Amino acid sequence: MLRTRKPLVAALVALPLALAGCAGGGSGGGDSDDTTLTIWHYESETSAMGQAWAKAIEIFEDENPDVTVDVQKQTFEQIQKNAKIVLTGDDVPDVMEYNKGNATAGQLASQGLLTPLTDAAKERGWDTTLSGSLQTTATYDENGLMGSGDWYGVPNYGEFVGVYYNKDMFAQYGVEVPTTLAELETAMATFQAAGVIPLAEAGAEYPLGQLWYELVLANADQDFVDAYQLFDGDVDFQGPEMTEATETLADWIDKGYIASDSAALTAEDMGVSFINGTYPMMVSGSWWFGRIVDEMDADWGQFNFPGNTLQVGSSGNLWVVPTNADSKSLAEEFIDITLRPEVQNILGEAGGLPVAGDVSAITDERTKALTQNFNDILAADGLAFYPDWPVAGYYDVLVSQLQSLVNRSKTPAEVLDGLSGPYEEGKADLLEG
């Protein structure tokens, strides 16, 4: 259900992935080449990640004056679509930004296309720098399932879902920032009684599913997350975690806390309506932060979903080293540089949620608050990933079933039955694979 890349892709010039001729390819097949480091990534120059990677490249070049660094900008879609084909050849990048998860990095790892980085993680201290929930997306077993096995990638920024709120509207209606789920419901009731729908939502895309999963996590523990996300145990879809969450969401819909037309609205619709001041709250991801900074006129803030220790979110994308890369040792050195304080602090200052940064180094108050909220989640090892991650095609299942809840065409129990079947089928396919 993660949708962080589309705004970036629009800002990039599409460059075709070449099956041959990449700088640093040469001998290919994993032969050593200490003269060229080829980097592929898809971040715009003005994004937090783009600024941080530029600093990392500058440091690398200063420390390796005899090495040529060849940075090749791609788009997320190009790498996602063509990575398997490209990485089976000899002319490949030495280090590449790639999406995390079973169907992406896990698939390439299981196919032998990525270099295991377990030894480097231990030698360079990545296994202590990154919290357990961040490490989950870095490790994959022989079937490509995340959460165990070797390291195949290294994240160096994060993302999470929280609550954006309109401070002006809160003040106008005398609403305090909630710290528990009960207080959140009281706040929503206050707005609704005044004729204001409390929550901006979108049922046609990912946001409603993320709100539902926050409610699941309000009733869940780490064992539930491990069972649901990592298949470490069985998941009871009619159990208390999912039942209470789905019934609560249905209750919020019935009470008018969510607009009746939300089933047909997109994430863009939701975001624009919050930015324009139509709704006082929006539950969504840190990827909205920069846009809200740029476009929202009203005073606003952000807080973690109240009462939850576990939160929707994950590491950002991974740096991976292809099996056929020429300059693996240089690639590991570059990855290590991206975790240094001077690079991480650039991420932090630009709102990029560093995994090893210093919050005190951030000068902008909103950015500092966002980063501190993320650090609070990391301190509790509370990243619980995204609800559509476990099995292929589950995003569409979640959207469809939760739209039925908004439309009142299914009861909560029927929605949970509709979620259970595809999950169990997908799980069986993965475990048999």
Side-chain angles (χ1 to χ4, degrees):
M1 197 161 292
L2 178 60
R3 290 293 181 271
T4 62
R5 299 270 65 89
K6 289 186 181 299
L8 288 174
V9 171
L12 295 176
V13 176
L15 297 176
L17 290 174
L19 296 182
C22 294
S27 54
D31 294 337
S32 178
D33 175 9
D34 295 328
T35 62
T36 304
L37 175 70
T38 302
I39 301 169
W40 283 5
H41 75 78
Y42 39 76
E43 308 296 348
S44 67
E45 293 179 358
T46 57
S47 71
M49 282 68 76
Q51 295 175 57
W53 304 165
K55 180 64 175 178
I57 291 165
E58 177 187 323
I59 294 171
F60 181 91
E61 289 176 329
D62 288 343
E63 296 180 357
N64 298 274
D66 296 329
V67 176
T68 299
V69 178
D70 181 14
V71 180
Q72 299 185 12
K73 292 283 190 70
Q74 312 293 342
T75 69
F76 177 80
E77 281 82 359
Q78 286 171 329
I79 292 180
Q80 187 88 340
K81 180 179 179 180
N82 299 310
K84 180 179 178 181
I85 298 172
V86 173
L87 297 189
T88 56
D90 288 338
D91 293 310
V92 301
D94 299 305
V95 61
M96 177 176 80
E97 184 182 8
Y98 197 59
N99 200 13
K100 69 279 182 188
N102 295 344
T104 48
Q107 184 180 65
L108 294 187
S110 69
Q111 294 168 343
L113 297 176
L114 300 181
T115 301
L117 299 172
T118 304
D119 290 342
K122 293 177 180 177
E123 292 167 2
R124 296 181 180 274
W126 303 337
D127 58 344
T128 57
T129 298
L130 302 177
S131 71
S133 51
L134 288 172
Q135 289 185 34
T136 300
T137 60
T139 57
Y140 298 88
D141 67 13
E142 64 274 10
N143 292 321
L145 300 181
M146 69 177 187
S148 65
D150 279 317
W151 285 64
Y152 283 97
V154 181
N156 40 48
Y157 68 99
E159 58 196 28
F160 72 105
V161 171
V163 185
Y164 294 95
Y165 73 106
N166 186 316
K167 289 186 176 182
D168 292 344
M169 295 181 76
F170 269 55
Q172 179 182 351
Y173 294 98
V175 175
E176 299 292 329
V177 173
T179 59
T180 66
L181 184 58
E183 290 178 0
L184 176 62
E185 291 186 312
T186 298
M188 291 192 295
T190 300
F191 283 118
Q192 200 278 333
V196 177
I197 296 174
L199 288 177
E201 257 307 333
E205 292 181 339
Y206 65 86
L208 188 61
Q210 292 181 349
L211 173 61
W212 171 80
Y213 193 45
E214 288 284 8
L215 292 171
V216 172
L217 296 174
N219 303 288
D221 58 16
Q222 190 61 53
D223 288 341
F224 174 89
V225 173
D226 290 346
Y228 179 71
Q229 295 283 359
L230 308 179
F231 308 147
D232 184 12
D234 295 326
V235 177
D236 182 1
F237 277 75
Q238 299 292 345
E241 298 90 354
M242 291 192 174
T243 296
E244 189 164 342
T246 311
E247 289 178 348
T248 296
L249 185 57
D251 181 56
W252 289 5
I253 293 166
D254 289 342
K255 288 178 175 177
Y257 296 168
I258 294 170
S260 59
D261 64 349
S262 292
L265 299 181
T266 65
E268 177 70 9
D269 296 329
M270 174 195 70
V272 169
S273 66
F274 172 74
I275 290 169
N276 290 344
T278 303
Y279 302 97
M281 287 183 283
M282 178 177 79
V283 179
S284 198
S286 51
W287 49 89
W288 280 100
F289 180 80
R291 183 166 175 187
I292 295 172
V293 168
D294 290 339
E295 298 181 14
M296 189 162 180
D297 293 329
D299 193 13
W300 61 275
Q302 189 267 345
F303 56 88
N304 288 347
F305 196 83
N308 280 21
T309 299
L310 296 167
Q311 300 282 355
V312 183
S314 76
S315 75
N317 292 311
L318 307 174
W319 288 117
V320 300
V321 179
T323 299
N324 289 344
D326 291 341
S327 309
K328 294 180 182 180
S329 61
L330 295 179
E332 292 174 5
E333 183 178 348
F334 172 76
I335 291 171
D336 195 57
I337 289 172
T338 67
L339 289 169
R340 289 187 189 177
E342 55 265 49
V343 175
Q344 290 285 298
N345 288 343
I346 289 175
L347 274 172
E349 189 65 42
L353 296 181
V355 297
D358 179 6
V359 176
S360 66
I362 300 173
T363 57
D364 178 74
E365 289 304 315
R366 283 191 179 125
T367 305
K368 181 180 290 188
L370 179 80
T371 306
Q372 185 60 59
N373 287 341
F374 180 64
N375 284 355
D376 290 344
I377 297 171
L378 293 184
D381 200 17
L383 289 177
F385 315 118
Y386 293 87
D388 65 305
W389 271 22
V391 300
Y394 208 50
Y395 174 84
D396 292 331
V397 174
L398 276 165
V399 169
S400 175
Q401 292 300 322
L402 293 177
Q403 282 179 317
S404 299
L405 199 67
V406 178
N407 292 332
R408 297 178 175 82
S409 60
K410 287 187 177 181
T411 67
E414 290 171 334
V415 168
L416 290 173
D417 284 341
L419 292 174
S420 175
Y423 175 91
E424 296 297 345
E425 292 170 8
K427 175 181 176 181
D429 289 342
L430 284 169
L431 293 181
E432 290 171 3

